[in-house]
Amino acid sequence: CPEAFLAPNVIVCEGKTEVGLLRGRDLLLQNQGHRSILAPGCIWADGGGSSMIERAKIFARMGYRTALFMDSDVTYGADVYTDLNTLGVTVFRWHDGYSTEAALFASVPAAQVANLLNIACEWRSEDSIDGKIRHVSGGQHTLQSCRNNFNDGMRPMLGQCAGNGSWFKDIEPSERALREVIAPIWQYTGPLFTGPLDALWAWIMASNTVQVVDNNGGQE
């Protein structure tokens, strides 16, 4: 992520899913007349999954104002977060135990679940999505039943399917999920999902340090 070295504020994202979520919200807000997060000198960097914590530490040690945007389906010891805090890394994550996909399906209004499934189908194919739902639910549910007869009891199952099946584990599908489905009904989406992102956006908007390099190579 060489471009990240050019911004004073770096958001290390766990992976492409989280990068897509940031891009999706940023692009939608720009369309509504708001400034991009690039304006206050913020940029995202792919943390590469298991290497995200070390990458965040590297940026922090180099003097960058650093945030880490991650999910919570993998448990880390308290010492990991203490170390990050000591280095000045601000961590944003879902409630304990939730992957990004689980938080998404746990929080989206029921009327929008079919739209998330449509994006997943365009990315992975209807047969793949249907097969994953049948397998994880033990044959109790299908893609059609989730689309046409959705109930809240399906949320954990769909979150598991989305995570295991990599429905949104790339920038494009997760960006579309945020931009096309979640952002327009943000106020109706559960705080489990919106809370950490709202807190991250507050961190972004608090970025007031912009370095200007003069012609002699010095910084102002």
Side-chain angles (χ1 to χ4, degrees), residues 2-3 6 13 35 45 47 66 82 88 93 117-118 128 133 157 162 171 192 197 205 211 216:
E3 67 276 6
L6 303 177
C13 298
R35 297 191 308 165
T66 308
T82 299
R93 59 185 183 131
L117 291 172
N118 291 340
S128 174
I133 290 173
M157 180 271 297
I171 293 175
L192 172 68
L197 275 168
M205 293 300 106
Q211 294 181 329
N216 296 319

Side-chain angles (χ1 to χ4, degrees), residues 99-117:
S99 67
T100 297
E101 295 83 1
L104 181 61
F105 275 102
S107 306
V108 66
Q112 299 299 322
V113 168
N115 290 329
L116 286 180
L117 291 172

